[in-house]
Amino acid sequence: MGNSAKTALDIFVIGGGINGTGIARDAVGRGLTVALAEMNDLAWATSSASTKLFHGGLRYLEYFEFDLVKKALIEREVLLRNMPHISWPMRFVLPYHKDMRFENTTPTSRLLSTVMPWMKGRRPAWLIRLGLFMYDSLGGRKILPSTKTLNLNVALEGAVLKDKYKKAYEYSDCWVEDSRLVVLNAQDAALRGANIMTRTKVTTAERVDGLWKITVEHNGQSDVFWAKALVNAGGPWVVDIIQGAVRLNATEGIRLVRGSHIVTKRLFDHDKAYFFQGEDGRIIFAIPYENDFTVIGTTDADHDGADNAPECTIEEQDYLCAFASNYFKQPITKDDIVWTYSGVRPLYDDGAQNASAATRDYVFTKNEEGAPLLNIFGGKITTYRKLAEGALAELADYFPDMGPNWTKIAPMPGGDFAVNDVSKLIERIENKYTFIEGDQAARLIKAYGTQADGILKDATTAADLGEDFGAGLTEVEVAWLMDNEFATTAADVVWRRSKLGLRMTKEQIARLDSWMQTRTSS
């Protein structure tokens, strides 16, 4: 598995989240030799536990992060074009009424309170509309429609909201299947020649004769890689890697912020999402999820230690239920919750007073005392592609023959079709494989796009797909995931390659795991 100093890789990447896989894909596509090691599964931590949006971050305007918002807004449509199977436009409904009051927790609200004391604790309608005008304008929209005003007395979107909400603003952002995005970056990197290693931990990395000597451990076995440059995209573990595996002092800090979500039964009968403002100055979303559910989140809480598995606490569940219940006519209770998930955002520590105010932008630090070490701090899923380009720009002097930027117009695997052609692909699958029902055809296209044919191949009956483990998950699909998407356990399949765990029983998942282990060992 390893290599020798004589055949040193150009870049070795630590971390199989969105930043690490994005950098690996970009680098190998420029002609560099690349390996990536992830100590768990791809998208195992932060990158499978987001709110699953390609968005500019409307609330970041209140923190005057205009450059970050502009960069993210531009990227929405770039990414949408390159992965129309796992990402799609979504409209967001922001209810408003004039008596809404908030804590003065943002620079904007504090400024308003100073110059206009009568506005203390309020976001006036003109300020929200100004923010949405900027949101529409900064990114140069070409696909997504602009903001409009809704009369909630007559609009379908108002039917589930409390009667006091008479007016709302409706704006555009995009949904994305976050963990599938990570997997597709890794898959594309591997197809282009990168060595992607999951459940492989970097134990040490040291400079030897102008190169990095990297020792990894996989299934109890050690191996050694040599590389000209080392990229630390360890996410929550970025500082641990600097201080532990690399044995250097970390001059920059990481702020671990836990974001928790609850998933409930479906709360409304339309495909738009809601943007809710809280009295504490925070915001949450309520978003249609996996057809039959609604996801509500997120929280912002400082988290202690990357190795402490994040969980949606009882207090966070209560907070999200109460927050949403301030808007929905039917109160949300813990009895409505069918699942929770929580992730840790590895934000750059900019000294912000509270977790919500900490910057979501990314920061690079570089150690050049010999072979270069590039550390990645922070970032958000919407700007991962720009982060990857920036990371390679940081290393450009070491690789003068490196190719130019290329990912802006490069579809992800399965994404080589037009944004509006999803329904055509679903119809084609239904016509070609008449034994597959509409919901199943839609799930396959929205997961695999044009690669769905590679899974189904020449099947003419349901029996040709092998055992159905539950929720329409069959042997041929699982085999594809194992052979092409690095899945090794049932959890990889039902929680990160898909969310079929919401529909499968524990017994079905156990049966799937047994089948996968048998296939691996045979």
Side-chain angles (χ1 to χ4, degrees):
M1 183 170 69
N3 67 324
S4 68
K6 292 182 180 180
T7 59
L9 297 161
D10 290 320
I11 296 177
F12 191 100
V13 180
I14 304 176
I18 188 58
N19 292 341
T21 57
I23 291 169
R25 175 186 183 240
D26 194 341
V28 72
R30 296 171 188 253
L32 303 180
T33 53
V34 179
L36 178 149
E38 162 56 48
M39 65 179 177
N40 294 296
D41 182 31
L42 297 171
W44 184 77
T46 308
S47 296
S48 60
S50 75
T51 311
K52 309 182 195 309
L53 300 177
F54 283 150
H55 67 133
L58 181 60
R59 74 179 184 87
Y60 304 149
L61 291 174
E62 289 199 298
Y63 293 94
F64 307 139
E65 294 213 41
F66 301 119
D67 287 343
L68 172 62
V69 174
K70 180 178 181 179
K71 183 165 49 181
L73 288 173
I74 293 170
E75 276 297 287
R76 289 181 310 181
E77 296 195 4
V78 171
L79 299 174
L80 181 61
R81 288 188 180 95
N82 286 336
M83 54 198 79
H85 49 328
I86 64 165
S87 178
W88 49 88
M90 183 172 280
R91 295 289 278 174
F92 287 76
V93 176
L94 193 166
Y96 173 82
H97 75 91
K98 64 181 180 180
D99 295 327
M100 297 169 73
R101 289 186 173 272
F102 314 94
E103 292 181 12
N104 293 322
T105 57
T106 71
T108 300
S109 62
R110 289 193 290 270
L111 178 62
L112 278 175
S113 296
T114 300
V115 300
M116 292 178 285
W118 61 92
M119 285 295 181
K120 183 176 181 181
R122 293 183 181 176
R123 293 186 185 103
W126 64 262
L127 180 64
I128 295 173
R129 195 64 187 86
L130 175 62
L132 288 167
F133 172 77
M134 294 175 64
Y135 205 70
D136 281 344
S137 304
L138 284 173
R141 291 173 302 103
K142 295 182 180 178
I143 298 175
L144 301 175
S146 61
T147 297
K148 69 177 184 178
T149 302
L150 294 179
N151 179 350
L152 294 178
N153 290 321
V154 297
L156 172 65
E157 297 80 8
V160 295
L161 299 178
K162 290 181 176 180
D163 292 338
K164 67 179 180 180
Y165 298 105
K166 310 293 185 184
K167 175 181 180 180
Y169 302 103
E170 181 183 304
Y171 70 94
S172 292
D173 266 321
C174 299
W175 174 264
V176 63
E177 300 288 354
D178 54 1
S179 53
R180 288 210 56 74
L181 174 61
V182 177
V183 170
L184 292 182
N185 270 279
Q187 182 191 20
D188 200 32
L191 289 171
R192 295 173 187 274
N195 181 5
I196 306 296
M197 300 170 286
T198 62
R199 293 180 166 84
T200 302
K201 184 173 183 178
V202 172
T203 55
T204 63
E206 57 183 331
R207 291 180 171 109
V208 177
D209 296 331
L211 296 171
W212 282 104
K213 180 183 179 183
I214 303 134
T215 303
V216 304
E217 185 176 288
H218 176 76
N219 287 338
Q221 301 295 316
S222 293
D223 214 335
V224 172
F225 288 83
W226 295 81
K228 299 171 186 175
L230 182 64
V231 173
N232 174 11
W237 291 270
V238 61
V239 173
D240 294 346
I241 291 168
I242 297 171
Q243 296 175 340
V246 184
R247 298 192 184 99
L248 292 175
N249 291 324
T251 57
E252 306 288 340
I254 199 80
R255 183 169 190 166
L256 301 180
V257 176
R258 186 176 65 253
S260 294
H261 300 74
I262 58 174
V263 176
T264 71
K265 60 187 179 182
R266 186 168 179 165
L267 299 177
F268 41 87
D269 294 325
H270 57 80
D271 61 359
K272 297 177 184 177
Y274 291 97
F275 178 116
F276 294 150
Q277 304 175 85
E279 294 179 355
D280 59 358
R282 294 208 66 257
I283 64 98
I284 63 168
F285 298 101
I287 305 174
Y289 190 60
E290 298 293 318
N291 295 326
D292 300 321
F293 306 95
T294 301
V295 60
I296 299 173
T298 179
T299 60
D300 270 322
D302 286 312
H303 187 77
D304 183 22
D307 290 328
N308 294 329
E311 295 182 359
C312 184
T313 65
I314 296 299
E315 292 76 18
E316 287 175 310
Q317 293 177 43
D318 289 340
Y319 173 83
L320 292 171
C321 286
F323 200 142
S325 296
N326 284 333
Y327 285 83
F328 288 121
K329 286 180 181 176
Q330 183 66 37
I332 312 301
T333 71
K334 280 190 282 193
D335 291 338
D336 296 313
I337 299 174
V338 298
W339 184 52
T340 68
Y341 68 90
S342 188
V344 175
R345 306 182 193 97
L347 306 182
Y348 177 72
D349 191 356
D350 60 357
Q353 290 186 349
N354 61 70
S356 295
T359 182
R360 266 53 176 177
D361 211 348
Y362 51 82
V363 174
F364 302 127
T365 68
K366 188 162 53 174
N367 182 299
E368 298 177 285
E369 299 171 3
L373 165 67
L374 184 67
N375 302 300
I376 315 296
F377 290 83
K380 58 198 297 283
I381 197 166
T382 311
T383 52
Y384 88 89
R385 192 192 67 83
K386 294 298 291 183
L387 181 152
E389 287 185 345
L392 291 170
E394 291 284 332
L395 298 173
D397 289 345
Y398 295 91
F399 304 107
D401 296 329
M402 179 172 65
N405 292 347
W406 64 278
T407 58
K408 186 174 182 178
I409 55 172
M412 283 292 168
D416 51 338
F417 61 95
V419 170
N420 297 320
D421 284 353
V422 173
S423 58
K424 293 180 182 178
L425 266 67
I426 295 171
E427 183 179 356
R428 186 177 62 77
I429 289 292
E430 290 176 312
N431 292 336
K432 183 176 180 180
Y433 304 96
T434 55
F435 55 91
I436 293 180
E437 297 181 355
D439 287 348
Q440 179 73 341
R443 183 184 72 80
L444 290 170
I445 291 301
K446 288 189 174 183
Y448 306 106
T450 56
Q451 293 193 106
D453 283 304
I455 298 171
L456 301 172
K457 296 181 180 177
D458 298 324
T460 56
T461 67
D464 292 336
L465 303 181
E467 181 178 350
D468 186 333
F469 298 104
L473 180 67
T474 63
E475 281 187 28
V476 296
E477 184 177 352
V478 177
W480 167 273
L481 293 171
M482 296 178 73
D483 294 343
N484 297 276
E485 295 193 4
F486 313 97
T488 60
T489 71
D492 298 348
V493 171
V494 305
W495 294 118
R496 287 178 287 278
R497 307 307 182 278
S498 73
K499 289 297 181 286
L500 293 175
L502 288 167
R503 294 185 167 84
M504 296 174 67
T505 66
K506 292 181 180 179
E507 292 75 19
Q508 288 173 325
I509 294 173
R511 166 59 191 149
L512 169 63
D513 207 43
S514 175
W515 185 89
M516 292 177 69
Q517 300 317 309
T518 298
R519 185 176 187 269
T520 299
S521 60
S522 62

